[in-house]
Amino acid sequence: MFQKDVKSLNKYIKAFQKFQKRYYPHITEENDNGEWEIGIDQWDRMCSAYLKIIENYNAECATEPLINDMLYVIARDSECSHLLVETLKYSDWFEVLCRHSVKTDYYNARWQFAEQLGKYQGKSDIKNLLFQFIESGDEYTERMALHSLCEHFPERVEEYAVKFWERNIYKEDEYQKIMALYALHKIQSPLLNEYILKSYKTDYGYLKGWAEEYAKEAE
């Protein structure tokens, strides 16, 4: 049954890819926003096949081709991360897939794992993968990793929050600073007030808004 279900998943992935190539040829890994779920039969069958595997089999059965297929499906579900939230309920699958996601070419899978790893409550060492995600060279993945770092390694948050603030290496630098400010607030860092004041000196409207909220909370 396992091999049959694995083949079914692969078949539905190919059907979805054919559909996407025909009707949405402009969508790439980088610009896919995950809005596939409404009225698309190929999407529904692919996701159902994915869920059938995690619900009925142990992750010890996973092969490299299967893992690649599963990461592909997760990457497509990037709007609300429903599949990965469900996968968190099956820690053996989450752990296996998370380890492989660090090096996957599926960008939209990487950042989802960096984000959802903050909610992981298992006992394995995959929490340490946050340090690979946070040094990945991808702006959004790194941001999500800093968010998750607050949950598992609060003692390292100040180090990375300051780094995010100071480096100015990404076009979306405002969002790097917003996440740095959030992280300092989340761990109740003594550096927070200093960076609230720094926020006011920038030209970033959203950043100033967050700084004002955190300043009000501190009053």
Side-chain angles (χ1 to χ4, degrees):
M1 287 296 293
F2 174 69
Q3 290 301 327
K4 180 180 178 181
D5 289 335
V6 169
K7 289 180 180 178
S8 292
L9 174 62
N10 185 258
K11 179 180 72 173
Y12 293 137
I13 286 174
K14 289 179 178 177
F16 176 81
Q17 290 173 331
K18 184 177 179 180
F19 168 85
Q20 182 262 316
K21 186 175 182 179
R22 179 176 181 182
Y23 294 103
Y24 301 93
H26 62 286
I27 292 181
T28 66
E29 183 66 28
E30 286 71 26
N31 66 20
D32 183 356
N33 60 14
E35 296 178 354
W36 296 104
E37 68 273 18
I38 300 176
I40 299 176
D41 291 339
Q42 292 87 344
W43 167 262
D44 292 338
R45 287 193 288 267
M46 182 174 70
C47 291
S48 294
Y50 172 96
L51 291 171
K52 186 174 184 180
I53 287 174
I54 66 169
E55 291 169 356
N56 291 282
Y57 303 104
N58 191 289
E60 293 178 357
C61 300
T63 62
E64 289 291 331
L66 174 59
I67 289 170
N68 184 69
D69 278 352
M70 296 176 81
L71 290 175
Y72 172 84
V73 181
I74 289 169
R76 305 286 66 76
D77 184 40
S78 60
E79 183 185 22
C80 58
S81 298
H82 168 72
L83 292 176
L84 199 49
V85 170
E86 287 299 306
T87 305
L88 266 171
K89 300 175 183 178
Y90 303 88
S91 59
D92 58 337
W93 279 110
F94 185 86
E95 290 159 11
V96 166
L97 293 169
C98 188
R99 293 185 196 282
H100 284 77
S101 73
V102 174
K103 297 181 180 180
T104 185
D105 291 332
Y106 298 132
Y107 153 77
N108 285 307
R110 281 202 312 274
W111 70 254
Q112 287 184 73
F113 275 101
E115 178 184 38
Q116 296 300 323
L117 196 48
K119 302 174 185 177
Y120 172 75
Q121 297 299 320
K123 297 180 180 180
S124 82
D125 63 353
I126 63 167
K127 298 171 186 176
N128 293 319
L129 293 176
L130 283 172
F131 296 104
Q132 293 187 51
F133 286 124
I134 210 167
E135 300 283 358
S136 67
D138 172 70
E139 191 274 331
Y140 195 63
T141 300
E142 292 182 356
R143 236 194 304 152
M144 294 302 99
L146 179 55
H147 190 282
S148 294
L149 207 69
C150 296
E151 304 300 328
H152 296 310
F153 299 97
E155 71 279 5
R156 298 291 303 275
V157 166
E158 284 186 355
E159 169 192 346
Y160 281 100
V162 171
K163 181 178 180 178
F164 273 39
W165 186 282
E166 302 293 345
R167 59 187 179 178
N168 299 318
I169 61 173
Y170 294 117
K171 183 178 180 180
E172 301 294 337
D173 183 60
E174 180 174 13
Y175 296 105
Q176 289 270 298
K177 286 179 165 58
I178 288 172
M179 184 57 74
L181 196 66
Y182 162 83
L184 294 174
H185 171 265
K186 177 69 176 178
I187 66 166
Q188 300 182 329
S189 168
L191 296 178
L192 178 60
N193 189 59
E194 175 186 344
Y195 282 86
I196 287 175
L197 295 176
K198 287 186 177 185
S199 299
Y200 293 149
K201 295 178 182 179
T202 72
D203 295 325
Y204 296 140
Y206 292 126
L207 176 60
K208 290 179 180 178
W210 282 102
E212 288 174 0
E213 289 296 319
Y214 294 148
K216 289 178 182 177
E217 290 182 22
E219 290 178 355

